[in-house]
Amino acid sequence: MKAIQLTKGFGFEELNLTELDKPTPGPHEVLIRMKAASLNYRDLVILSGLMPIEIKFPFIPLSDGAGEIVAVGQGVTRFQVGHRVAGNLQQRFFAGNPRPGVLEDSLGGPLNGVAAEYVVLHEDGIVHIPDHLTWEEAATLPIAALTAWSMLIEYGGLQAGDTVLLQGTGGVSIFGLQFALMAGARAIITSSSNTKLERAKALGAWKTINYSEVPDWDKEALELTGGVDHVLDVGGASTMVKSINALRIGGTLSMVGFLSGLTIPEYDVTSILQKAATIRGSQVGNRDHFEKMNRAIAHHRLQPVVDRVFPLDRIGEAFALLAEGKQYFGKIVVQI
């Protein structure tokens, strides 16, 4: 089979299309013919060698993918040949809150990922995908969609009439917009591109803010709403303070990314106390969340937003586009 591997070390130049033996499923495992995979910022950080996890070379990257089961091992009861499935990022995170060590079971680092024609996974680590989705659309679900769903719906308790502030137009934020609309909530979305903001409006955004034109976007959000109920913060260090400021008293901030860094020097926590804010960090979501999300996606016939699709042998170009950061809307996908 064909697979993408980091052969000896980190970096784009180490990505190679290689030939490997097709794996065989063991007891309670399934063999999946992968059809598509999507890229996340997490993959970029791992590829760059900046994620504090142990990677063993040669290493197959990418955590998010969808495919068809073509063989099952002894004792498999949850799935059959022909089922369309996706893997959960954390293979042994089935329900409840995150537990110690849950990150050690993550696909695409430290476990080998899904950038291969065939992948073997334990039957407990996969879920059915909605029938109406293409392979490319389904491949976007495991991190971006599940992060937005878990933070807003499962942990955030988003309700009809609430207002959500979303940063940028990447995968998590666009899914956040779609799930907010599904729940009957209003969404404010920020971007430095008016073209992207127009696309967000077309998807149903209530209000948009160009943060290049309005640097104090937090104050703008406060003026529009009196304080938003929930913020999905993908920026990290440079956006957290303003995200807290944009909240209503008792609002919730979900930290789901770190695009601008991880460290906030000499931060005064007064605003957190004054807002009585709830701040939650994201570890994506468990299998139970994933299954419930997929039922909701199927019921509402939600269509994930795929910006661009690359063939597997051009995965380096896909990563370069992801690294550039501003030239896509929604998700970047590779066909396998």
Side-chain angles (χ1 to χ4, degrees):
M1 70 170 187
K2 294 179 180 178
I4 295 293
Q5 288 185 310
L6 288 173
T7 52
K8 298 178 181 178
F10 297 106
F12 291 168
E13 68 280 359
E14 290 293 335
L15 286 172
N16 291 291
L17 184 62
T18 59
E19 290 282 344
L20 302 174
D21 292 334
K22 184 169 71 173
T24 301
H28 299 286
E29 293 179 336
V30 301
L31 178 66
I32 305 169
R33 172 67 172 94
M34 300 304 300
K35 301 291 187 176
S38 70
L39 275 60
N40 294 283
Y41 185 70
R42 176 182 187 271
D43 301 310
L44 185 63
V45 175
I46 290 173
L47 181 65
S48 302
L50 301 176
M51 184 72 79
I53 57 176
E54 182 180 359
I55 298 295
K56 296 181 180 179
F57 301 104
F59 170 73
I60 299 174
L62 301 190
S63 59
D64 291 12
E68 180 182 0
I69 294 177
V70 295
V72 298
Q74 183 180 3
V76 170
T77 59
R78 299 184 66 238
F79 297 91
Q80 300 175 4
V81 171
H83 282 170
R84 303 170 78 240
V85 298
N88 198 45
L89 169 65
Q90 287 126 3
Q91 286 285 282
R92 297 183 58 80
F93 186 18
F94 305 135
N97 292 316
R99 55 172 175 75
V102 69
L103 298 179
E104 297 172 5
D105 300 319
S106 297
L107 293 176
L111 303 181
N112 274 318
V114 299
E117 290 183 312
Y118 293 92
V119 171
V120 166
L121 295 178
H122 195 282
E123 64 173 330
D124 290 339
I126 59 178
V127 299
H128 292 280
I129 57 177
D131 291 337
H132 73 284
L133 298 183
T134 66
W135 295 116
E136 291 78 13
E137 291 169 337
T140 68
L141 300 178
I143 286 185
L146 187 54
T147 295
W149 175 269
S150 296
M151 293 298 100
L152 291 177
I153 307 299
E154 301 291 346
Y155 296 127
L158 186 68
Q159 300 180 27
D162 285 353
T163 303
V164 181
L165 176 62
L166 304 158
Q167 298 172 350
T169 57
V172 174
S173 295
I174 294 302
F175 274 117
L177 169 60
Q178 293 176 302
F179 292 146
L181 295 173
M182 185 188 296
R186 303 182 302 179
I188 302 171
I189 199 158
T190 69
S191 174
S192 61
S193 165
N194 286 324
T195 299
K196 290 183 179 181
L197 291 177
E198 288 301 318
R199 292 185 66 181
K201 286 181 182 178
L203 284 176
W206 173 59
K207 298 290 183 179
T208 61
I209 303 172
N210 186 316
Y211 61 78
S212 292
E213 299 172 358
V214 185
D216 292 331
W217 49 267
D218 53 330
K219 296 179 181 179
E220 179 78 3
L222 281 170
E223 291 178 6
L224 288 170
T225 64
V228 302
D229 298 281
H230 205 132
V231 179
L232 283 185
D233 190 301
V234 301
S238 72
T239 54
M240 179 179 170
V241 174
K242 288 187 176 182
S243 292
I244 294 170
N245 187 49
L247 289 172
R248 65 167 173 82
I249 294 177
T252 299
L253 169 61
S254 292
M255 299 299 298
V256 301
F258 49 93
L259 296 176
S260 67
L262 294 168
T263 304
I264 304 173
E266 300 181 3
Y267 175 61
D268 183 352
V269 301
T270 302
S271 60
I272 299 176
L273 301 174
Q274 291 176 335
K275 287 293 178 83
T278 297
I279 301 177
R280 179 182 291 275
S282 171
Q283 287 191 3
V284 185
N286 59 48
R287 190 186 71 192
D288 180 56
H289 293 168
F290 203 164
E291 291 173 334
K292 288 194 285 186
M293 178 189 75
N294 284 348
R295 290 195 292 270
I297 288 173
H299 177 74
H300 290 274
R301 307 288 292 182
L302 183 146
Q303 301 287 156
V305 177
V306 176
D307 181 273
R308 218 157 319 172
V309 179
F310 291 83
L312 187 61
D313 60 2
R314 290 172 55 196
I315 193 171
E317 295 177 48
F319 269 116
L321 180 63
L322 180 67
E324 192 173 357
K326 296 184 178 181
Q327 302 305 316
Y328 61 92
F329 184 98
K331 292 292 291 180
I332 300 169
V333 174
V334 292
Q335 290 178 327
I336 302 177

